[in-house]
Amino acid sequence: MKIEENALIENSLGVESRCKVLAKVESVSDLSTLEVLLNANSKYYILGEGTNIVPPSYFDGVVIKAEFNHIDIANNILSVGASYNWTELVKFCIQNKINGFENLIDIPGSVGASPVQNIGAYGTEVSSLIDSIDCFCLNTFSKKNLTNLDCDFTYRKSVLKNSQYLIYNVNFISNLEERISYQYASVQKYIDQNSIDPSSLTIEGISNIISNVRSEVLPNPAIINNAGSFFKNPIISKNIINFNNFSEDELIIWNYSDDLIKVGAARLIELIKNNVEPSNNVSIHEHHSLVLVTNGNATQDEVLDYANEIIDLVFETFNIPLEIEPSVII
């Protein structure tokens, strides 16, 4: 295990952030040594690639990173180390004709972070691909295997979020039947505009389409500081919505269950963004209202103040609560 003091916390928002101790766990044998480290420093945070966090200027505790980069297939299970890059995994699956991953291409971050918030895009969620997760409990200091059901996956949530589990390996199902999913509105629009026959699509073809669609609206965090979608699409009862300011037709609404709907948060923000007080260092991305970007000089407080103003305006206008999607480190 590698230990570094006063280390930088890498993050795609470009917030300058350091931690008291950075611990990089490189092998299963390193896991047992975490008990000594955490007994001396009880405050900790488990970090992936830092693409979905809002860090503080200083974290007075231990930041733990699992540095496991293996990939193996046996008995229809694809076992992947937590630090393996997510998009590299998607490309590996496409090359090896492993179905189900293709709609999730180009989501920033690591494999280990993918189940924490049950990443999803273009009609697919990672929970549909996971068999089980190997992790290390930082309360009992013991290894544990969590089944898919144990993880209690829901929309952008799981029991792994803000938990005591350090993920070091994710076991995916590698023999799912091919099912090309292209029903998402922006994907269908691209198919129609480019006169593509949906029946001819392969998993490689749909991944290329999604990569193109995604690049048109979502900024690359390696170029523009951002943490991806900053707000979750709210799941609510339709009867709570205030339509006094905007009509139902002006919102984007999907059926979610018999009693609930999902509302497009990007559209809500698009309708009120001109009323948001400008910030020196934070703004709404010009091509996607769900994405907040920084100029590299923002602090955690500035990012959260700007986000909370958006939350307040959306609630005042529509009576719809918005929830921040990235993890806020405190």
Side-chain angles (χ1 to χ4, degrees):
M1 181 164 58
K2 292 182 180 178
I3 301 291
E4 184 181 348
E5 296 182 355
N6 195 35
L8 285 170
I9 301 178
E10 295 181 1
N11 66 96
S12 61
L13 264 176
V15 173
E16 186 173 341
S17 178
R18 290 187 177 270
C19 59
K20 182 180 178 181
V21 177
L22 174 64
K24 295 183 177 180
V25 182
E26 300 175 303
S27 67
V28 174
S29 60
D30 283 344
L31 295 171
S32 59
T33 63
L34 283 173
E35 183 171 4
V36 176
L37 183 62
L38 295 186
N39 281 339
N41 304 272
S42 59
K43 188 176 181 180
Y44 65 84
Y45 185 83
I46 300 168
L47 183 68
E49 292 185 6
T51 58
N52 200 41
I53 62 170
V54 188
S57 299
Y58 185 75
F59 179 72
D60 189 22
V62 181
V63 169
I64 306 170
K65 290 192 70 174
E67 299 279 319
F68 293 76
N69 203 42
H70 59 270
I71 186 164
D72 305 288
I73 303 178
N75 301 319
N76 295 323
I77 295 297
L78 175 65
S79 296
V80 188
S83 62
Y84 204 96
N85 178 266
W86 175 259
T87 290
E88 290 305 310
L89 171 62
V90 176
K91 291 178 180 178
F92 174 91
C93 291
I94 292 169
Q95 291 168 0
N96 289 274
K97 312 299 182 186
I98 297 173
N99 303 310
F101 293 76
E102 55 276 1
N103 286 38
L104 301 178
I105 195 166
D106 291 342
I107 295 179
S110 63
V111 166
S114 66
V116 175
Q117 289 185 286
N118 188 18
I119 62 169
Y122 303 99
T124 300
E125 291 184 336
V126 74
S127 55
S128 65
L129 310 172
I130 291 175
D131 176 76
S132 67
I133 294 171
D134 297 312
C135 53
F136 187 75
C137 179
L138 298 175
N139 284 351
T140 62
F141 298 101
S142 60
K143 290 186 286 186
K144 190 174 182 66
N145 177 268
L146 300 176
T147 67
N148 187 297
L149 287 176
D150 291 333
C151 295
D152 193 22
F153 290 116
T154 55
Y155 174 67
R156 299 298 179 270
K157 287 183 181 179
S158 73
V159 297
L160 299 158
K161 188 173 182 180
N162 301 321
S163 76
Q164 71 274 24
Y165 295 123
L166 172 64
I167 297 169
Y168 61 89
N169 182 72
V170 182
N171 300 300
F172 296 98
I173 304 166
S174 67
N175 63 337
L176 292 172
E177 291 185 10
E178 182 175 306
R179 185 180 65 85
I180 304 299
S181 176
Y182 59 88
Q183 289 75 25
Y184 205 84
S186 57
V187 176
Q188 287 185 319
K189 181 179 178 181
Y190 184 96
I191 289 171
D192 293 341
Q193 289 177 339
N194 291 275
S195 302
I196 297 171
D197 179 5
S199 65
S200 70
L201 287 173
T202 62
I203 60 173
E204 182 177 11
I206 194 67
S207 72
N208 289 335
I209 289 172
I210 286 172
S211 188
N212 289 334
V213 169
R214 189 179 182 92
S215 65
E216 290 176 359
V217 293
L218 292 170
N220 183 341
I223 300 172
I224 299 175
N225 296 316
N226 75 93
S229 297
F230 206 88
F231 303 96
K232 300 177 184 179
N233 290 323
I235 297 171
I236 57 172
S237 173
K238 187 176 180 179
N239 59 22
I240 74 165
I241 301 176
N242 175 13
F243 290 114
N244 291 334
N245 301 293
F246 296 95
S247 68
E248 181 177 344
D249 290 341
E250 292 176 279
L251 273 59
I252 296 176
I253 297 174
W254 303 279
N255 289 326
Y256 186 78
S257 68
D258 291 341
D259 303 318
L260 300 173
I261 58 168
K262 184 189 290 186
V263 183
R267 181 59 177 158
L268 298 176
I269 297 168
E270 182 72 25
L271 293 170
I272 59 88
K273 68 179 183 180
N274 290 337
N275 296 323
V276 179
E277 189 72 24
S279 165
N280 290 331
N281 300 315
V282 190
S283 60
I284 296 170
H285 183 55
E286 59 179 334
H287 297 308
H288 203 310
S289 295
L290 210 53
V291 178
L292 301 189
V293 300
T294 82
N295 59 7
N297 297 317
T299 64
Q300 183 189 64
D301 285 345
E302 286 179 286
V303 173
L304 295 180
D305 286 347
Y306 192 79
N308 284 326
E309 184 180 359
I310 292 171
I311 290 171
D312 290 343
L313 282 170
V314 167
F315 189 77
E316 290 168 9
T317 306
F318 303 101
N319 196 42
I320 297 176
L322 284 185
E323 185 178 348
I324 292 175
E325 184 168 327
S327 296
V328 178
I329 303 178
I330 57 175

